Amino acid sequence: MRRLVTEIGEAGIMLGNVWRHIFAGHIDWGESVRLIDRFGISSIPIVGLSASFIGMAISVQIAREIVVRYGADNVVGGFIALTILRELAPVFVAIVIAGNVGAAITAELGTMQVTDQIDALRVFRINPVVYLVVPRIIATAISGPALTGIGAVLALVAGQLFTEALVHIPAEIFWDSVRYAATTRDVVNMLTKSLVFAIAIALLASYNGLATEGSSESVGINTTRTVVWCLLATFMLNYLLTSIFFQL
């Protein structure tokens, strides 16, 4: 318990330092753009593929239940849209970021730590938080909502195509139902969730990377711990944000 409280405190201190440097304008935008390309654009294929299959899976379940049992084909699109926008899109994109981006950040920073590259930066009076952590948090914070928006659109398109092929719901009825059920608030809430998830993942990954000690074995251990921590943080933050959004 003492170790857990200590690690939470150290991560909180790092977050405070990150925000202090961001508000002070200490941002390397060139490095941030490079990392957006590395973290965000390179994740589009896996997000698109995952979103398409999720949209088809949700369509199978909802379309079969609603159309076959109740004949309410005019609400299928709305149910699918609410499910994707409110829960599935931000959560599954966060899972992809945790496994793809979070693990990469921890492995990279952990390797730099055990090979004394972080100490070399300090010798040259370069702040590791400004040079390494801030660009990664900026890049992940921008990539997360963008990937979530792409994933949500692809999941809805896949859901519409699959419901049309499976239960013969016309595209006009599906999209009318989506427009009737989904609101701007749902989209804003989805993007807010994805932003919070992305910042939490980048922060935890950076902390575990800089906290790596010992040999290369510690890099693997901390990388695994990062993925576990990020998944737990995503689920807990999802519950917290959902409770806040639907009480407002």
Side-chain angles (χ1 to χ4, degrees):
M1 288 298 297
R2 184 175 65 180
R3 178 182 176 184
L4 176 62
V5 172
T6 301
E7 290 177 343
I8 292 174
E10 291 174 348
I13 292 172
M14 178 182 288
L15 179 61
N17 289 333
V18 167
W19 287 123
R20 179 168 59 85
H21 290 298
I22 289 176
F23 290 135
H26 302 156
I27 302 174
D28 186 346
W29 287 109
E31 179 68 7
S32 299
V33 170
R34 185 186 71 82
L35 292 172
I36 290 172
D37 175 68
R38 178 183 167 192
F39 295 159
I41 296 178
S42 65
S43 298
I44 290 177
I46 187 172
V47 168
L49 191 62
S50 302
S52 300
F53 280 108
I54 287 175
M56 289 187 288
I58 293 298
S59 300
V60 169
Q61 299 180 50
I62 292 181
R64 285 292 186 188
E65 290 293 324
I66 294 179
V67 176
V68 174
R69 289 195 178 188
Y70 306 106
D73 55 353
N74 59 330
V75 299
V76 171
F79 273 103
I80 293 175
L82 293 180
T83 303
I84 291 173
L85 295 178
R86 292 182 178 180
E87 290 298 323
L88 288 181
V91 171
F92 85 75
V93 170
I95 293 173
V96 171
I97 292 176
N100 190 29
V101 177
I105 291 175
T106 299
E108 183 178 11
L109 298 186
T111 301
M112 295 178 68
Q113 181 70 22
V114 299
T115 55
D116 298 327
Q117 296 181 54
I118 304 297
D119 291 335
L121 290 176
R122 294 191 177 99
V123 169
F124 287 102
R125 301 181 64 85
I126 298 175
N127 190 330
V129 172
V130 176
Y131 186 72
L132 298 173
V133 178
V134 170
R136 282 161 175 77
I137 289 184
I138 292 292
T140 310
I142 294 174
S143 301
L147 290 172
T148 301
I150 293 172
V153 170
L154 292 177
L156 284 172
V157 171
Q160 184 272 312
L161 295 174
F162 210 66
T163 51
E164 186 173 10
L166 186 68
V167 291
H168 310 294
I169 297 177
E172 295 79 8
I173 295 178
F174 182 94
W175 293 115
D176 284 343
S177 178
V178 171
R179 286 191 292 268
Y180 178 78
T183 63
T184 303
R185 180 179 178 181
D186 293 319
V187 176
V188 172
N189 290 346
M190 176 190 70
L191 297 178
T192 302
K193 278 186 176 184
S194 63
L195 176 63
V196 174
F197 295 162
I199 292 174
I201 290 169
L203 175 68
L204 292 173
S206 300
Y207 170 76
N208 279 326
L210 295 179
T212 304
E213 298 177 351
S215 63
S216 58
E217 182 181 0
S218 301
V219 177
I221 294 173
N222 277 22
T223 301
T224 302
R225 184 168 67 168
T226 290
V227 176
V228 174
W229 279 21
C230 289
L231 294 179
L232 290 176
T234 296
F235 297 141
M236 289 188 291
L237 289 171
N238 181 58
Y239 167 75
L240 178 63
L241 292 173
T242 300
S243 300
I244 292 173
F245 291 154
F246 288 96
Q247 287 179 359
L248 297 178

